[in-house]
């Protein structure tokens, strides 16, 4: 059984994710959620979840800052970034911060499930379009 913590400021999604993920991934236990970045970091450090879903844009502490803290304090915790507003720079920073996966909210619940399932199985998961954008961005920056 893998444990999951959800950090999402949109209350509707924060309430919907556990319902969907419990039914879609029976080997998953939802151990908490928060809409506030500072509160979420504190709870994650106490609960030590196997997987954390974190939105990039949050009140008080951003998802990218949370990624940094969790990877430093809980290196075995897998972090899945989920956001409705993804820019190449944010994804690049997340990848440099050793994020384990990235999904776009526009990909719907099926993409979220694929991302969580991959992390449960010890694999990384990246939305292919976003990852290709980051690769293209990085290749343009390098001198020839």
């Amino acid at each position: 059984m893998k444990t999951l913590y959800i950090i999402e400021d949109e209350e509707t999604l924060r309430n919907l994710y556990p319902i969907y993920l419990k039914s879609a991934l029976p080997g998953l236990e939802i151990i908490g959620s928060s809409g506030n970045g500072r509160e979420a970091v504190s709870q994650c450090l106490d609960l030590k979840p196997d997987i954390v879903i974190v939105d990039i844009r949050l009140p008080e502490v951003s998802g990218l800052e949370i990624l940094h803290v969790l990877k430093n304090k809980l290196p075995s915790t897998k972090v899945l970034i989920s956001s409705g507003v993804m820019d190449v720079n944010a994804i690049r920073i997340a990848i440099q911060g050793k994020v384990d996966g990235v999904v776009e909210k526009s990909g719907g619940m099926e993409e979220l499930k694929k991302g969580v399932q991959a992390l449960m199985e010890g694999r990384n998961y990246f939305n292919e379009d976003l990852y290709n954008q980051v690769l293209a961005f990085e290749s343009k920056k390098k001198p020839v």
Side-chain angles (χ1 to χ4, degrees), residues 52-54 56 63-64 66-68 70-71 77-82 86 90-103 119 123-127 131 134:
V52 174
I53 298 172
V54 62
I56 285 182
L64 294 174
I66 291 170
L67 167 67
H68 178 74
L70 293 180
K71 286 301 181 177
T77 294
K78 304 294 182 190
V79 179
L80 179 69
I81 295 280
S82 168
M86 296 277 203
I91 300 307
R92 184 181 56 76
I93 291 168
I95 291 170
Q96 289 172 344
K98 306 224 184 311
V99 72
D100 300 288
V102 177
V103 296
L119 272 56
R123 298 180 289 115
N124 292 344
Y125 182 88
F126 292 91
N127 170 291
Y131 196 71
V134 171

Side-chain angles (χ1 to χ4, degrees), residues 1-129:
M1 179 77 64
K2 296 286 185 178
T3 57
L4 175 79
Y5 191 92
I6 299 165
I7 308 171
E8 171 59 61
D9 63 335
E10 292 181 44
E11 186 176 2
T12 303
L13 291 177
R14 193 170 61 248
N15 293 331
L16 183 61
Y17 286 175
I19 295 166
Y20 175 75
L21 291 171
K22 280 183 199 176
S23 66
L25 300 168
L28 189 65
E29 177 187 359
I30 314 297
I31 60 171
S33 67
S34 179
N36 176 294
R38 187 171 315 283
E39 173 186 271
V41 167
S42 176
Q43 288 184 7
C44 284
L45 293 177
D46 287 342
L47 296 171
K48 297 174 179 56
D50 296 312
I51 301 168
V52 174
I53 298 172
V54 62
D55 190 358
I56 285 182
R57 296 177 190 223
L58 294 164
E60 296 194 37
V61 180
S62 79
L64 294 174
E65 291 172 297
I66 291 170
L67 167 67
H68 178 74
V69 170
L70 293 180
K71 286 301 181 177
N72 283 319
K73 304 267 184 189
L74 302 173
S76 64
T77 294
K78 304 294 182 190
V79 179
L80 179 69
I81 295 280
S82 168
S83 186
V85 181
M86 296 277 203
D87 67 71
V88 172
N89 195 45
I91 300 307
R92 184 181 56 76
I93 291 168
I95 291 170
Q96 289 172 344
K98 306 224 184 311
V99 72
D100 300 288
V102 177
V103 296
E104 270 188 297
K105 288 180 183 176
S106 64
M109 296 302 243
E110 184 62 27
E111 183 173 357
L112 181 69
K113 176 188 143 199
K114 287 179 185 177
V116 172
Q117 186 168 25
L119 272 56
M120 289 174 70
E121 295 169 356
R123 298 180 289 115
N124 292 344
Y125 182 88
F126 292 91
N127 170 291
E128 189 174 343
D129 292 338

